[in-house]
Amino acid sequence: MKLYGFQSEEERSFLHSTYKVNPLLSHTGDVKISFLSFQENDYTPRQEATIPQLLLVVHGEGWVAGDNGLKIYIKQGESAFWKAGESFEVGSLTAMTGLLIEGLDIAPQKLLTSFSRTNANKKAAVTRLFYYLSNRA
């Protein structure tokens, strides 16, 4: 056995935000896995998924957005999937860590259960996100 650390080492900056990415598995076939770390008010720039991407939130909470730009609350134990060609953005008002899995054959619908927020959950998430976004400046 050999031990390895995977704390975020590579910082990426966008405007006033710095988030961290640490590739864990790359150039080993058709799958790439990265460890993402967002501190308070960190977010990625809006970009296009060149291949399918699955974000698994392993700690904390934040938000994700797809083509329509609508920010949706996401927390530990939840995931977001973007198809190739879909624009996306990820961020956190507090802090969030996750695994980003990229690959041509990613099909989360085969193993994960999709969900949508109930109206009560949507209202709470929108209120929380609005508070978060209004305190960013």
Side-chain angles (χ1 to χ4, degrees):
M1 176 175 72
K2 189 169 184 176
L3 302 175
Y4 294 92
F6 66 93
Q7 290 137 351
S8 297
E9 296 172 359
E10 180 183 331
E11 277 194 359
R12 297 187 183 173
S13 296
F14 177 72
L15 297 176
H16 303 290
S17 174
T18 301
Y19 63 100
K20 297 180 181 179
V21 177
N22 187 30
L24 297 176
L25 181 66
S26 186
H27 307 294
T28 57
D30 295 331
V31 175
K32 177 182 175 185
I33 301 173
S34 298
F35 178 73
L36 301 179
S37 177
F38 296 89
Q39 298 304 313
E40 184 176 329
N41 296 322
D42 284 350
Y43 59 96
T44 66
R46 177 162 286 287
Q47 54 196 298
E48 185 177 301
T50 55
I51 59 175
Q53 298 184 358
L54 178 65
L55 171 66
L56 304 169
V57 179
V58 296
H59 188 263
E61 60 186 11
W63 53 266
V64 292
D67 276 336
N68 64 7
L70 179 65
K71 292 176 172 61
I72 299 172
Y73 174 75
I74 192 168
K75 65 182 181 354
Q76 179 178 331
E78 297 177 347
S79 61
F81 176 71
W82 295 277
K83 298 180 288 188
E86 190 174 359
S87 65
F88 72 97
E89 194 176 8
V90 179
S92 180
L93 296 173
T94 53
M96 179 173 71
T97 55
L99 293 174
L100 183 66
I101 304 169
E102 302 171 90
L104 297 174
D105 296 325
I106 294 176
Q109 71 277 9
K110 291 183 178 178
L111 298 173
L112 303 177
T113 303
S114 66
F115 70 93
S116 63
R117 306 228 180 262
T118 65
N119 287 338
N121 284 342
K122 284 181 185 176
K123 184 177 179 183
V126 167
T127 301
R128 187 175 201 161
L129 187 57
F130 176 76
Y131 175 78
Y132 174 76
L133 293 174
S134 64
N135 289 310
R136 263 174 81 163

